[in-house]
Amino acid sequence: ALFPEITYGVDSGGDPRYITDLTYEQFCDFHSDFYHPSNTRFWFYGDDDPETRLEILSNYLKDFEANQAGVEKSRVLTQKKFTEPRTVTDYYAVSESEDPSQAGQQKAYVNVNWVLEDDVFDLETQLAFGFLDFILLGTSGSPLRKALIDSGLGEAVCGGGLEDELRQPTFSIGLKGVESSS
């Protein structure tokens, strides 16, 4: 709902209803663009020799040509901010409750989400929001978490708080187990 016009707004696996329409050539083209070493970041961890690591990586990568077209196709664009708040109502499948007293009672999930910035945070802002997120939600006694639980409006806090691993950082908070009439 926050990113309807960019890659974050689509299911990365595609719509299962249309998988049978995909040709083998389309599948191979997609794979060669998006699952190519040109689209990869490598992280190393441990106390082994860095030169040996780089040699192993170099031996693996030597068989590949750079794929700049694939890199360009996978570039994450930014979502323009909405000019006004939006409300999205959607439905999801739930299993039948094993508790007979809950039979026929449908519960809802309510979340409020914000895109916090037009692009990645600078380091100082990222640290500040990280601290704020922990203060507000990080423990059972954190004020926002506690206020939501103590409100009795839902059964549990959901929505993870700060998400700063995407290009545009977001903040999400809500409750699950909310009475659908609320």
Side-chain angles (χ1 to χ4, degrees):
L2 290 177
F3 301 112
E5 298 167 0
I6 63 171
T7 192
Y8 295 146
V10 296
D11 182 349
S12 63
D15 189 330
R17 293 176 290 195
Y18 301 110
I19 288 175
T20 56
D21 297 340
L22 185 66
T23 67
Y24 181 72
E25 182 181 3
Q26 289 170 319
F27 173 79
C28 290
D29 289 346
F30 182 90
H31 188 274
S32 70
D33 282 339
F34 297 102
Y35 292 88
H36 188 277
S38 296
N39 248 345
T40 306
R41 293 184 182 171
F42 297 94
W43 280 266
F44 298 106
Y45 176 79
D47 61 358
D48 54 319
D49 178 40
E51 291 298 323
T52 303
R53 284 185 197 163
L54 293 173
E55 186 178 318
I56 291 168
L57 184 59
S58 179
N59 285 333
Y60 175 75
L61 295 175
K62 73 179 184 328
D63 296 329
F64 292 93
E65 299 275 333
N67 182 355
Q68 192 58 36
V71 171
E72 288 303 317
K73 287 178 186 177
S74 66
R75 187 172 311 281
V76 177
L77 304 176
T78 56
Q79 175 69 47
K80 292 178 193 161
K81 288 187 176 178
F82 302 142
T83 57
E84 58 188 39
R86 293 186 180 187
T87 300
V88 175
T89 301
D90 209 344
Y91 299 90
Y92 58 95
V94 295
S95 60
E96 292 291 327
S97 175
E98 293 181 17
D99 180 352
S101 69
Q102 299 291 317
Q105 294 185 17
Q106 294 185 351
K107 300 283 183 150
Y109 177 107
V110 177
N111 225 28
V112 181
N113 310 286
W114 295 268
V115 174
L116 301 175
E117 189 60 71
D118 289 327
D119 213 329
V120 294
F121 280 149
D122 61 67
L123 184 57
E124 186 175 318
T125 304
Q126 184 179 24
L127 285 169
F129 269 92
F131 287 131
L132 183 59
D133 180 60
F134 182 76
I135 291 166
L136 291 174
L137 296 170
T139 71
S140 58
S142 294
L144 182 54
R145 176 178 293 279
K146 186 167 177 11
L148 287 168
I149 293 296
D150 290 352
S151 73
L153 294 171
E155 297 169 358
V157 173
C158 60
L162 178 66
E163 172 58 70
D164 61 357
E165 294 178 4
L166 301 176
R167 180 167 181 185
Q168 289 176 274
T170 63
F171 187 85
S172 298
I173 191 66
L175 290 166
K176 64 181 180 177
V178 175
E179 293 298 328
S180 57
S181 61
S182 297

